[in-house]
Amino acid sequence: MRIRDEKKECNIREKALELIVKQGFDGFSMQKLAKQACVSPATLYIYYDNKAHLVNALYNHWHDIFIAHTLKGFDVDSSFEEGLWRQWINRWSFITEFPLAFRFLEQFRHSPHVLHESVSMYDFKDTMRTFLRNVVEKGEMIAIEPELYWSLAYGPLYAVAKFHFTGKSFMNREFHLSEKDLRILFNQAIKSLKK
């Protein structure tokens, strides 16, 4: 049995991320990955059973990093505005530090190709539920369904991120998000959720 090489596995993950984001699930193959990673196709199967296993492992790997990033300095007992702003700053930090990973996570967030098996995901959801319960109980936020909350709380951030990465607005002019503009957008988003 061949020994796993952590450096080689990291390279495989990196090349897989690039290929999947550029070519999508259907355009991606283990053969293409082997060529990009400069390894034999047999080497890939030391680390992953098949294409689906690789995509799931990659998703869970990056999702765990995303969760760790979003929870830095986050306190479930903070005020609504402080807690949500911390989430925006942390998420924006992840998005700009790992743009390919962000695009990959967005591509597969609701995909049937990914089984959301990450234990940290359950802890993350529990943390977010506790924060929301706290701010609703303190009377800082209206009580709404989680999907509506997410759409109002984070939808604007993810929408503007897409403009930021293309470098163009929908008016086809140059666009790059500044921290000042991020704060303006946040202020408008939080107004829609406050009591």
Side-chain angles (χ1 to χ4, degrees):
M1 180 173 192
R2 290 171 63 182
I3 298 172
R4 294 169 73 104
D5 178 338
E6 195 173 309
K7 206 170 165 184
K8 197 176 280 187
E9 186 175 11
C10 185
N11 178 52
I12 290 168
R13 275 197 312 263
E14 188 178 300
K15 296 301 180 188
L17 185 68
E18 290 171 14
L19 280 172
I20 294 168
V21 167
K22 287 178 185 168
Q23 299 182 5
F25 183 80
D26 292 332
F28 170 76
S29 72
M30 297 297 263
Q31 285 293 115
K32 288 179 185 177
L33 175 58
K35 187 175 180 180
Q36 282 291 96
C38 299
V39 297
S40 73
T43 300
L44 297 178
Y45 294 99
I46 294 169
Y47 305 99
Y48 306 102
D49 298 339
N50 53 41
K51 176 177 159 177
H53 178 229
L54 183 145
V55 170
N56 274 278
L58 192 59
Y59 184 89
N60 287 315
H61 168 79
W62 278 107
H63 201 266
D64 286 348
I65 293 169
F66 169 77
I67 288 170
H69 226 80
T70 61
L71 294 179
K72 283 181 191 168
F74 179 72
D75 180 2
V76 294
D77 295 318
S78 64
S79 72
F80 181 40
E81 190 160 341
E82 286 173 17
L84 191 56
W85 179 242
R86 170 56 48 204
Q87 281 293 301
W88 272 51
I89 290 296
N90 289 351
R91 288 166 191 250
W92 185 247
S93 170
F94 176 86
I95 289 168
T96 55
E97 190 174 337
F98 306 108
L100 272 180
F102 166 71
R103 289 175 58 202
F104 171 78
L105 291 173
E106 286 298 292
Q107 196 173 351
F108 286 93
R109 186 173 310 283
H110 302 289
S111 168
H113 298 298
V114 173
L115 308 169
H116 302 275
E117 299 170 336
S118 170
V119 172
S120 62
M121 179 62 163
Y122 297 108
D123 294 340
F124 177 70
K125 284 182 177 180
D126 198 43
T127 299
M128 291 297 106
R129 261 192 297 274
T130 301
F131 172 66
L132 287 177
R133 187 180 61 244
N134 289 347
V135 297
V136 168
E137 285 175 3
K138 289 188 272 185
E140 295 179 281
M141 187 188 102
I142 57 172
I144 58 174
E145 291 297 319
E147 297 78 12
L148 301 179
Y149 167 76
W150 189 96
S151 297
L152 290 169
Y154 304 113
L157 175 64
Y158 292 132
V160 80
K162 291 173 186 169
F163 290 125
H164 178 79
F165 287 125
T166 62
K168 294 200 181 298
S169 72
F170 67 92
M171 302 297 266
N172 210 21
R173 64 179 177 85
E174 191 174 310
F175 178 81
H176 295 284
L177 187 67
S178 67
E179 191 166 331
K180 178 185 170 194
D181 287 338
L182 183 65
R183 188 67 199 209
I184 289 168
L185 186 61
F186 171 79
N187 289 340
Q188 292 304 307
I190 200 162
K191 278 181 191 177
S192 65
L193 290 161
K194 281 185 170 181
K195 263 197 169 177

